[in-house]
Amino acid sequence: MVFGVKFAHLARPNLLKNFTHGYAQSLVAASQSSTQLGPFNNHPASRFGKPGNNRIQSAFQHTSNASSSGPSAKAGLTASGPNADSGLAAYYAAWQQHHNNDADNEWRQFQFTKRLEWKVSPRSQDLLGNDTAIPGLEDDSFVPRQAKAGRSYSASAVDDIRNAQDAAAAARNEVPVAERATEDTEAVPFEQTESGLASNVSAQASDTAAAPSQTPALTPESSELESPQSLGTSATTFSIARSISWTDQLSHLSDSRQYNEIPLIFQSMLAEGITPTASAYNSLLLAAINLAAGKHHVVPKALEVYSHMLAKGVSPNSTTYSIMLELLASRALEVREIQQTLGEKKLRYSDPREPGRFLFKSSEVEADLVKKDISLNIAMRIFEASTKDPKDITLSAETYRILIQACAAFGKIKEMNQFYTSVMKRQVTPNSSTFVYMMEAFASQGDLDNVIRCYNEFKTLAVADNNGQPALTDRLDNAVYAALIKAYTTVGQKSQAAQFLAQIVKSYPEREDRQAAIDALRDLVIPRSFMEERLDSGHFAEALELVNDAGLSTSARAEAMTVISVRAADADHVDVATAAYKQGVSSETTPAIALMASHVRSRDLDAARYYWDVLSSPNRFAHASLIEPTTLYAATLIEHGLVEEALHEARMMFARVRSATDSPSSVVLDHIHEGLESIGSALIESQIIPSVGAAVDYMWSMTENGGLFAPATRHALLGFGPEQMSQLNYKDLILVLQVQAGLINSSNSAPDLADISRFAALLETTLARSSSLDSRTEAIVQQSVIKVADPSLYHGRPDIGRLWQNYLNPITEPITPISPGGYQVEQVYSQVPTYEETFNPYAAATDRGTSQLIIDTLEKGRDRSGSGRLNTALTKLGHLRRAGRLPSFPAMSRLIGAAAREHQNPVVSQLLETAASDLPLLPQYPAVRQGWISIYDSMLGASLTSGDRQAAARYHQKILDLGGAPTANTYGLYITTMKESTKTFDEAAEALKIFLRAKSEGVELTPFLYNVLLGKLAKARRIDDCLLYYHEMRSLGLRLTSITYGSIINALCRVSNEHYAEEMFEEMESMPNYKPLAAPYNCMMQFYVKTKRDKKKVLEYYERMPAQNAERTPYTYQLLIQAHATLEPVDMNAAEAVFDTMRQDGLEPTGKHFSDIIHAKGCVLHDMAGARKAFDDVLASGLRPEACLYQALIEAMVANHCVADTEEVVSSMRSRGVGMTPYIANNLIRGWAHENNVGKAEAIYNALGTSKREPSTYEAMTKAFLSVNDKSGAARVIREMLSRGYPAAVAGKISELLGGATHTSS
């Protein structure tokens, strides 16, 4: 094929090199290029990609200073042979004829045809036959490559296509190119479609008739034919037959979607000397579209094939035009969508540091690139060519639809009219959506007259369609109504809009589905017209009120609310956005993103954090759209000084986004890297030095994403000193070492003093912990050591070089360890230790007397309060240090433990810093290691007490790194401090795992550890495990306490083993040194109140308590009230007399005690009036309202079938600030289910929230669904219950309500 230099970029798919953040750059305008095209040299985005090949490989291997019209050029163009191009002669003749006057003014270089090639597959070889010879092909084949960028098309590129098209037509018909170039089909106004098109068509027909059809003479040596119709000899007849055969084969492959075979067959067709037909090119076009490496490469590939077709002199047919026009219009619509998305991003995520600019630079580059896309202009030129084609070109309704849609989207009214004129003139049956797009386009210009004309035209066609005439290919009546109503509202004629809607509703005939049709009309029209107009004009509150009053269906209303929430939030109308958000589609992420961004813009961090919690919920699917919100939120947190939270949240969310797909694309990784860069820039601008944990989080974020942002990394490393390095676990330490070494290696200049000192401290700390590094770390460190140990540097560290060499080549000679500060310490031997196991280097300076006094003060001090004893001990520690003495390791660990028990976390941190300063960790000394194990054990306990389990895990690892293990009491804290997070777990199973881990690490077991384990097992009704570890305690000789017996008795009562429980109780009371506690007595009383319902037994254990000196508790009296009020014989007077007994014992009755009276009167005696009076009397007495009081009253109402009255009680509860509890919800769910109102039961269930639901809640809701035979709803509830990890005994009981199938499958 023949291309001028200006047009050569369409023939060179291998020039598509550059890709910037997932968007294909536009083709460079030919007017900006010369004989050397540099598509991205001057583009601002070129620095983001790899440099491309800037030279076009021409078929000419020589340069010329003469005009291309000279004899030598002509001879070259008309040469014959296997590589000759017969179509080139005709092209050159036409070119010479029309440009001979100025041939000497400009030199042009033409290329021979670039052969299209494909890799020969076994199947293709079978199709061609074994004897088929494929000649040598050029490199610029039509093989889809993994190019780095696709391109848009400049105005000059469009001209090149048109020039090649006109030149080919001139070669066939000898019509002057200049004359044909002036023939333009002008679009006419909407109301003049008939006459306008007729005049143009007649003029075109006359021009075509006047042009003689001549075919250039073909030489016998010519290997390619211009057109099968131009041949008249017997050889030509054979060529026509071969052409038909090739074309049929290509069509078959295209129809069967075997696109990968088409390019090879097409190349073989060219090699045989057959000029392809339009049908053959159509097959190649489809192959190019379907085989392109990415969506951004589709249009360039298609244009390449189209230009090759024109250069060959092959006239496109209707299918060719349809393929090209639909492809280009689709691309234009895609560009429009990208522009709208970028506009939303610019508004929503504008850079907090530079308002009005994109948060990501890639978005700014992408916005600049899409501005240059003129796919629609190219489509217009191709359409103009189709109108001038002498053949009768017929386009489909779908082709016209997408062209009109694209013109409407870009506001090209004139071109849109031209397309519709063609639709009417050619009598193409239009799509209904065509009228919707046209009406919307006219409305955007305020042209109501043409909107009405469009509607009337549609109405006429719709009536004809109703009468059985094929006037419309589809029916979208409601969408057309919405477009007309939107036009009315846009121009301010709201009354006409409402009147028209009323007329439409009134026109619906009376039939069974009339109301459903009206509802469907409202669901579509109101959001698209009335609501959209109010949103466009900024009246968000009116839009919200409209949707609330419009009577939309539930789904349509929720979707409309979602749109309002997003639009209002982007416009910073937070109140309206929040109100709409609560009623929108809960699964939608965009409203929460928009609201969070709005609160960020208004600097309301607390409100933004609420929506961030929604977005970061584990139940939400993480996708790429969360990258920019995460970046924005993290940058805002940094501005407020919350660096640690910002970096941690960013790391977690970016990790979730990457893991959401099996193999994250480079676009996602690039966007995350941009986000990390933006966060790093915010960190640098804040001038806040992050903590060690935050800095490590940030470095892990960058490393996990595949790259580092050097400026922010250097800033993050500023906070790392020797003490901070010693606190890192081994994995984090290796990371920081690699990062610091990488910064030194990547710098072209000599490392500065800070880098050298930091690297030396990191290396020394690492080698002190591990005797071997992985190969990757060794390679990085090796390069850094060379720079750091350079003796020519003023601040170089040759000693680091010696340390590294000793690591690589261990020796038995003494070496000098290097401290983090660079000073030398005593010599040690690398293999054989020279110190006794008990040697303590700090012993000489340690004040043992004062240290012991500190320990005694903490354990036996006169001050009864723990904080008082702690303050006294801290004062003694201050005196000791001011005297220049050192505390002992036990004293420091006890101080840390005492501060943790008093919840004084700042004091805990100060004590750890004091220990690190006064007693630095020297791991080569066993005594120092053991001392630090005790300190880390205290820090581990402190972290567990404060609920920071991540810090606890770090200290646990430090203990293991030092060769020790936490104490049994610390493992007990692991169990007692277990808390539910977002997902409930089996506490008994977790407790057992912790206990077994303690045993595996060789921990000396204690009664405390066994007691906490037994407590968790008893709570889970795991009686067999309870008895197993109870007997294990006895076999180990551990002391059994009242707590031990209480746990066993509790477990036996839970499984209703009355006989064994009483035996254990007797054994407990008879054991020596028995210290009575109320818990076992309360457990037995509760057993006989709620399980066995034996009032006599309850009173028996109540009376045994003072005999054994067991102090009665408020819960003891609560059980006594329940016994009198609920067990036969019921004695309410005795129950109420318990209040006086409590006051005599110095205890004040609480809401729980009064709630038992209310419950008994309402549920046992069914005295609803008495229950309500008791409730009112309690509140009137001034007692603070509690949830248990409302629970008792609601239980009474449900039991007495007064469920409807509970709504007033729930309202009162909310007004008094009493929150909903699972137990209140359970009763309400059961009550409403009994009233056959499952809707209200489900509303209560949903209002409670997932985090507050308990197994009993799931059981109540499951039964409610099953009461109305809604098994799907019940199964949904059970699936959620199973996902929360409850113990099998608890989950199995609820699953069995549905037959157990759900539980088994899970």
Side-chain angles (χ1 to χ4, degrees):
M1 55 186 170
V2 181
F3 290 102
V5 173
K6 284 188 176 183
F7 204 63
H9 56 291
L10 287 178
R12 299 292 299 172
N14 57 336
L15 291 180
L16 303 176
K17 288 286 185 182
N18 205 306
F19 194 85
T20 302
H21 296 295
Y23 183 76
Q25 289 127 330
S26 60
L27 289 171
V28 179
S31 60
Q32 297 174 351
S33 59
S34 60
T35 56
Q36 288 188 8
L37 290 181
F40 307 109
N41 282 352
N42 298 323
H43 199 282
S46 62
R47 60 193 176 87
F48 291 104
K50 298 179 181 179
N53 185 1
N54 293 335
R55 292 186 178 272
I56 294 182
Q57 299 177 3
S58 174
F60 295 99
Q61 300 301 321
H62 64 280
T63 58
S64 174
N65 297 327
S67 172
S68 60
S69 61
S72 60
K74 182 175 181 179
L77 290 170
T78 60
S80 62
N83 295 326
D85 191 342
S86 62
L88 187 60
Y91 183 91
Y92 178 75
W95 183 91
Q96 188 178 31
Q97 177 181 352
H98 299 294
H99 297 276
N100 54 4
N101 292 332
D102 57 349
D104 294 334
N105 297 332
E106 180 182 3
W107 176 84
R108 298 200 178 190
Q109 175 175 297
F110 292 90
Q111 299 185 38
F112 290 123
T113 300
K114 296 295 187 293
R115 303 299 184 185
L116 300 177
E117 65 176 277
W118 201 260
K119 182 178 179 180
V120 182
S121 68
R123 176 175 176 81
S124 299
Q125 190 64 44
D126 294 339
L127 290 170
L128 293 172
N130 295 328
D131 297 333
T132 304
I134 306 297
L137 303 175
E138 298 288 339
D139 289 337
D140 54 338
S141 60
F142 189 69
V143 179
R145 297 185 174 92
Q146 294 294 333
K148 287 291 182 180
R151 302 176 182 176
S152 312
Y153 317 103
S154 62
S156 60
V158 179
D159 293 337
D160 288 338
I161 294 176
R162 184 174 181 180
N163 292 339
Q165 187 180 46
D166 291 341
R172 296 193 306 272
N173 302 322
E174 296 185 353
V175 177
V177 175
E179 181 180 334
R180 295 181 64 85
T182 61
E183 297 177 2
D184 278 333
T185 302
E186 297 293 338
V188 295
F190 182 82
E191 62 275 9
Q192 300 175 359
T193 56
E194 298 288 339
S195 59
L197 184 62
S199 60
N200 282 333
V201 171
S202 61
Q204 176 182 325
S206 62
D207 289 345
T208 304
S213 177
Q214 296 183 5
T215 303
L218 298 174
T219 63
E221 297 83 358
S222 178
S223 62
E224 291 186 90
L225 302 178
E226 178 171 326
S227 174
Q229 290 79 4
S230 65
L231 302 177
T233 64
S234 59
T236 302
T237 303
F238 174 76
S239 297
I240 292 175
R242 290 295 296 157
S243 177
I244 294 173
S245 175
W246 285 109
T247 301
D248 289 345
Q249 190 173 3
L250 290 170
S251 298
H252 172 73
L253 292 173
S254 178
D255 293 341
S256 59
R257 299 182 179 273
Q258 300 179 41
Y259 298 115
N260 59 330
E261 306 289 348
I262 291 177
L264 176 61
I265 304 299
F266 193 89
Q267 176 62 47
S268 301
M269 185 178 182
L270 293 178
E272 192 172 316
I274 304 299
T275 299
T277 63
S279 297
Y281 273 107
N282 292 342
S283 298
L284 187 61
L285 265 176
L286 292 175
I289 292 171
N290 286 279
L291 295 176
K295 65 179 182 178
H296 303 299
H297 304 148
V298 173
V299 174
K301 289 291 186 183
L303 284 175
E304 181 185 355
V305 175
Y306 182 70
S307 58
H308 185 277
M309 181 180 186
L310 298 181
K312 282 293 185 183
V314 179
S315 296
N317 59 16
S318 298
T319 303
T320 311
Y321 286 119
S322 295
I323 293 173
M324 293 303 301
L325 291 174
E326 290 182 20
L327 175 64
L328 292 167
S330 299
R331 173 59 183 165
L333 289 172
E334 181 184 349
V335 167
R336 188 62 176 171
E337 183 179 354
I338 291 173
Q339 289 175 338
Q340 292 173 349
T341 302
L342 289 174
E344 293 174 359
K345 285 185 177 182
K346 189 172 185 179
L347 178 63
R348 189 176 299 153
Y349 308 126
S350 58
D351 192 332
R353 301 181 298 278
E354 299 181 63
R357 293 180 61 87
F358 285 105
L359 181 62
F360 285 175
K361 292 181 181 178
S362 63
S363 298
E364 188 172 351
V365 172
E366 188 174 8
D368 292 337
L369 290 173
V370 294
K371 289 180 183 177
K372 302 175 183 178
D373 185 279
I374 53 172
S375 300
L376 187 56
N377 291 347
I378 299 177
M380 288 298 304
R381 294 296 181 90
I382 293 178
F383 179 77
E384 290 174 10
S386 73
T387 62
K388 298 177 183 179
D389 198 299
K391 301 188 298 298
D392 184 16
I393 300 300
T394 302
L395 302 178
S396 67
E398 178 61 20
T399 303
Y400 282 113
R401 181 202 64 77
I402 194 169
L403 286 169
I404 289 174
Q405 182 185 0
C407 289
F410 284 90
K412 293 182 178 290
I413 306 299
K414 178 181 176 181
E415 292 81 356
M416 183 181 71
N417 284 339
Q418 179 182 350
F419 287 132
Y420 187 72
T421 300
S422 181
V423 170
M424 293 294 100
K425 182 62 179 178
R426 295 179 183 271
Q427 297 182 351
V428 177
T429 303
N431 293 342
S432 296
S433 57
T434 300
F435 295 94
V436 176
Y437 302 135
M438 294 177 64
M439 294 167 72
E440 290 176 347
F442 285 127
S444 67
Q445 304 294 323
D447 187 356
L448 184 60
D449 292 338
N450 269 330
V451 174
I452 295 174
R453 289 191 182 96
C454 280
Y455 173 74
N456 289 334
E457 178 73 17
F458 170 79
K459 182 178 178 181
T460 301
L461 295 174
V463 171
D465 187 69
N466 290 340
N467 294 331
Q469 301 177 20
L472 291 169
T473 59
D474 61 351
R475 294 296 293 273
L476 299 173
D477 295 11
N478 288 350
V480 175
Y481 299 151
L484 179 57
I485 293 173
K486 175 70 179 299
Y488 276 126
T489 58
T490 300
V491 299
Q493 298 184 18
K494 297 182 181 179
S495 59
Q496 287 86 340
Q499 183 180 358
F500 176 76
L501 178 59
Q503 290 175 355
I504 296 298
V505 173
K506 187 177 180 181
S507 68
Y508 281 1
E510 291 292 342
R511 57 187 185 186
E512 184 178 353
D513 62 344
R514 181 176 187 271
Q515 189 58 46
I518 293 174
D519 292 342
L521 173 69
R522 290 181 178 278
D523 287 350
L524 180 67
V525 170
I526 290 177
R528 284 195 184 184
S529 56
F530 294 104
M531 185 193 82
E532 195 68 27
E533 182 275 330
R534 285 163 172 77
L535 293 178
D536 293 340
S537 58
H539 299 144
F540 302 103
E542 293 182 12
L544 180 63
E545 183 179 359
L546 169 71
V547 174
N548 278 325
D549 300 337
L552 301 179
S553 66
T554 303
S555 59
R557 184 174 181 274
E559 292 174 1
M561 287 297 183
T562 299
V563 174
I564 293 174
S565 178
V566 173
R567 296 281 296 275
D570 287 341
D572 292 330
H573 287 253
V574 178
D575 294 339
V576 176
T578 304
Y581 172 79
K582 294 177 181 178
Q583 306 175 60
V585 181
S586 59
S587 60
E588 283 288 337
T589 302
T590 307
I593 293 175
L595 276 163
M596 188 202 75
S598 178
H599 287 301
V600 166
R601 291 193 295 272
S602 62
R603 296 297 189 267
D604 188 351
L605 183 59
D606 291 336
R609 182 179 278 112
Y610 170 81
Y611 292 101
W612 171 255
D613 291 340
V614 172
L615 294 173
S616 60
S617 169
N619 298 326
R620 292 264 180 179
F621 177 74
H623 44 81
S625 65
L626 292 174
I627 296 175
E628 284 164 304
T630 301
T631 304
L632 184 68
Y633 181 68
T636 304
L637 288 175
I638 291 174
E639 288 183 5
H640 286 76
L642 303 175
V643 175
E644 188 162 355
E645 181 183 354
L647 299 181
H648 177 72
E649 293 291 342
R651 181 187 178 188
M652 294 298 102
M653 182 57 77
F654 288 153
R656 287 182 60 196
V657 170
R658 282 192 301 269
S659 62
T661 54
D662 295 334
S663 55
S665 64
S666 60
V667 179
V668 173
L669 297 179
D670 288 345
H671 278 186
I672 293 177
H673 186 74
E674 274 195 282
L676 291 169
E677 284 187 6
S678 183
I679 293 171
S681 299
L683 184 62
I684 294 173
E685 291 179 10
S686 70
Q687 298 184 350
I688 299 175
I689 299 176
S691 65
V692 172
V696 170
D697 263 339
Y698 185 59
M699 283 185 274
W700 273 121
S701 297
M702 292 185 288
T703 304
E704 291 163 353
N705 201 59
L708 293 175
F709 180 47
T713 305
R714 290 187 180 278
H715 183 80
L717 286 170
L718 294 178
F720 282 83
E723 295 180 8
Q724 289 74 18
M725 296 172 193
S726 65
Q727 298 173 12
L728 295 174
N729 61 45
Y730 183 72
K731 184 178 179 182
D732 291 345
L733 181 62
I734 291 296
L735 171 68
V736 178
L737 175 62
Q738 291 179 351
V739 169
Q740 178 62 73
L743 291 175
I744 294 174
N745 297 340
S746 62
S747 176
N748 294 326
S749 58
D752 58 20
L753 178 59
D755 282 338
I756 291 177
S757 300
R758 194 180 301 116
F759 174 78
L762 284 167
L763 183 60
E764 190 275 339
T765 305
T766 303
L767 296 181
R769 290 197 190 181
S770 175
S771 59
S772 63
L773 305 177
D774 60 274
S775 57
R776 180 173 178 270
T777 305
E778 286 185 355
I780 297 174
V781 171
Q782 177 68 36
Q783 298 179 44
S784 300
V785 168
I786 295 174
K787 288 188 174 184
V788 169
D790 187 355
S792 63
L793 293 177
Y794 175 75
H795 44 266
R797 294 286 298 272
D799 51 338
I800 292 298
R802 294 192 297 271
L803 177 65
W804 182 246
Q805 288 302 318
N806 288 334
Y807 162 77
L808 296 176
N809 303 295
I811 57 176
T812 56
E813 297 178 357
I815 60 174
T816 304
I818 306 301
S819 72
Y823 55 85
Q824 296 182 354
V825 296
E826 295 183 54
Q827 287 188 337
V828 298
Y829 287 83
S830 59
Q831 290 186 353
V832 181
T834 59
Y835 302 100
E836 297 294 336
E837 291 291 331
T838 58
F839 177 77
N840 183 351
Y842 305 117
T846 300
D847 189 337
R848 298 185 180 277
T850 305
S851 296
Q852 186 59 47
L853 188 60
I854 290 173
I855 296 173
D856 293 341
T857 300
L858 293 173
E859 295 181 351
K860 307 173 185 178
R862 295 180 180 179
D863 197 325
R864 296 187 62 183
S865 67
S867 59
R869 291 196 296 270
L870 175 63
N871 291 333
T872 302
L874 290 175
T875 302
K876 296 182 183 298
L877 175 65
H879 293 326
L880 179 151
R881 297 186 70 212
R882 281 191 293 273
R885 306 289 286 172
L886 299 179
S888 66
F889 284 110
M892 293 304 300
S893 63
R894 299 290 179 85
L895 280 168
I896 292 172
R901 287 191 294 274
E902 298 301 321
H903 303 288
Q904 297 190 23
N905 294 332
V907 176
V908 172
S909 300
Q910 293 174 5
L911 289 170
L912 179 63
E913 293 177 359
T914 300
S917 173
D918 294 357
L919 307 167
L921 174 60
L922 301 177
Q924 61 268 34
Y925 299 108
V928 177
R929 281 204 310 271
Q930 194 61 40
W932 270 98
I933 287 173
S934 66
I935 290 176
Y936 283 146
D937 184 72
S938 298
M939 289 301 300
L940 172 55
S943 301
L944 292 172
T945 302
S946 64
D948 189 354
R949 298 186 84 84
Q950 291 185 349
R954 291 198 297 269
Y955 290 118
H956 195 141
Q957 186 59 45
K958 291 177 184 291
I959 294 173
L960 297 179
D961 292 341
L962 292 176
T967 61
N969 288 353
T970 303
Y971 273 107
L973 283 176
Y974 263 119
I975 297 174
T976 58
T977 57
M978 282 192 303
K979 295 180 180 179
E980 295 185 11
S981 57
T982 56
K983 183 177 180 181
T984 310
F985 54 88
D986 187 344
E987 291 189 358
E990 292 296 322
L992 195 53
K993 288 179 183 178
I994 294 170
F995 179 80
L996 295 177
R997 181 181 179 183
K999 294 178 75 173
S1000 68
E1001 293 181 0
V1003 174
E1004 183 179 352
L1005 303 177
T1006 62
F1008 172 71
L1009 180 57
Y1010 273 101
N1011 287 341
V1012 294
L1013 172 64
L1014 291 173
K1016 295 295 184 183
L1017 294 174
K1019 184 178 179 182
R1021 298 181 173 89
R1022 295 176 61 165
I1023 184 60
D1024 292 337
D1025 290 329
C1026 283
L1027 295 176
L1028 171 66
Y1029 290 106
Y1030 165 75
H1031 290 297
E1032 185 176 296
M1033 283 185 71
R1034 300 190 68 152
S1035 65
L1036 293 175
L1038 297 177
R1039 184 170 62 89
L1040 303 178
T1041 65
S1042 299
I1043 298 176
T1044 309
Y1045 282 105
S1047 298
I1048 299 297
I1049 293 170
N1050 183 25
L1052 292 169
C1053 289
R1054 283 176 178 266
V1055 296
S1056 300
N1057 194 332
E1058 178 184 5
H1059 177 70
Y1060 203 0
E1062 288 186 335
E1063 282 188 1
M1064 293 298 296
F1065 197 93
E1066 296 292 341
E1067 180 180 331
M1068 175 190 71
E1069 286 189 327
S1070 63
M1071 72 177 187
N1073 300 322
Y1074 168 61
K1075 293 182 179 179
L1077 296 176
Y1081 294 91
N1082 291 342
C1083 183
M1084 294 300 294
M1085 290 176 66
Q1086 176 181 288
F1087 175 64
Y1088 285 111
V1089 168
K1090 297 184 178 180
T1091 304
K1092 291 297 182 178
R1093 303 190 60 80
D1094 188 339
K1095 187 175 183 179
K1096 182 179 178 181
K1097 282 286 189 179
V1098 175
L1099 296 177
E1100 177 186 333
Y1101 280 99
Y1102 174 78
E1103 296 297 338
R1104 288 172 69 169
M1105 294 184 72
Q1108 294 289 343
N1109 293 325
E1111 185 177 356
R1112 293 166 177 164
T1113 64
Y1115 186 56
T1116 307
Y1117 290 107
Q1118 185 179 353
L1119 291 169
L1120 183 61
I1121 292 173
Q1122 292 175 5
H1124 286 304
T1126 62
L1127 301 181
E1128 295 294 338
V1130 175
D1131 188 351
M1132 293 300 300
N1133 293 328
E1136 292 176 345
V1138 175
F1139 297 142
D1140 296 332
T1141 305
M1142 290 182 65
R1143 293 186 180 99
Q1144 292 174 4
D1145 290 347
L1147 297 174
E1148 191 65 31
T1150 65
K1152 292 182 179 180
H1153 299 93
F1154 290 110
S1155 66
D1156 287 331
I1157 298 294
I1158 297 170
H1159 172 82
K1161 288 185 176 182
C1163 299
V1164 178
L1165 301 179
H1166 294 284
D1167 180 8
M1168 189 62 230
R1172 187 58 190 255
K1173 182 178 183 303
F1175 176 82
D1176 294 337
D1177 290 345
V1178 171
L1179 294 185
S1181 67
L1183 187 70
R1184 183 176 62 86
E1186 296 183 44
C1188 60
L1189 294 171
Y1190 284 97
Q1191 177 185 336
L1193 181 61
I1194 290 173
E1195 286 174 350
M1197 288 180 168
V1198 172
N1200 290 278
H1201 308 291
C1202 302
V1203 182
D1205 297 336
T1206 60
E1207 292 185 322
E1208 178 267 330
V1209 176
V1210 171
S1211 176
S1212 170
M1213 181 176 70
R1214 290 172 181 166
S1215 65
R1216 293 175 179 270
V1218 179
M1220 179 69 69
T1221 69
Y1223 309 106
I1224 295 176
N1226 295 348
N1227 285 285
L1228 290 171
I1229 291 171
R1230 283 192 287 266
W1232 287 117
H1234 189 266
E1235 297 291 325
N1236 292 324
N1237 194 337
V1238 179
K1240 288 194 175 182
E1242 188 174 10
I1244 296 292
Y1245 175 81
N1246 293 332
L1248 182 63
T1250 305
S1251 60
K1252 290 185 178 181
R1253 293 171 190 158
E1254 293 198 354
S1256 57
T1257 312
Y1258 292 113
E1259 181 179 0
M1261 196 64 232
T1262 300
K1263 290 180 177 179
F1265 277 125
L1266 292 177
S1267 68
V1268 294
N1269 202 27
D1270 185 359
K1271 293 187 177 181
S1272 62
R1276 185 171 63 253
V1277 172
I1278 290 177
R1279 280 196 298 271
E1280 181 185 317
M1281 181 269 299
L1282 292 174
S1283 70
R1284 300 194 63 189
Y1286 289 115
V1290 176
K1293 176 184 176 183
I1294 301 173
S1295 298
E1296 288 173 359
L1297 296 173
L1298 199 60
T1302 305
H1303 177 67
T1304 303
S1305 63
S1306 298

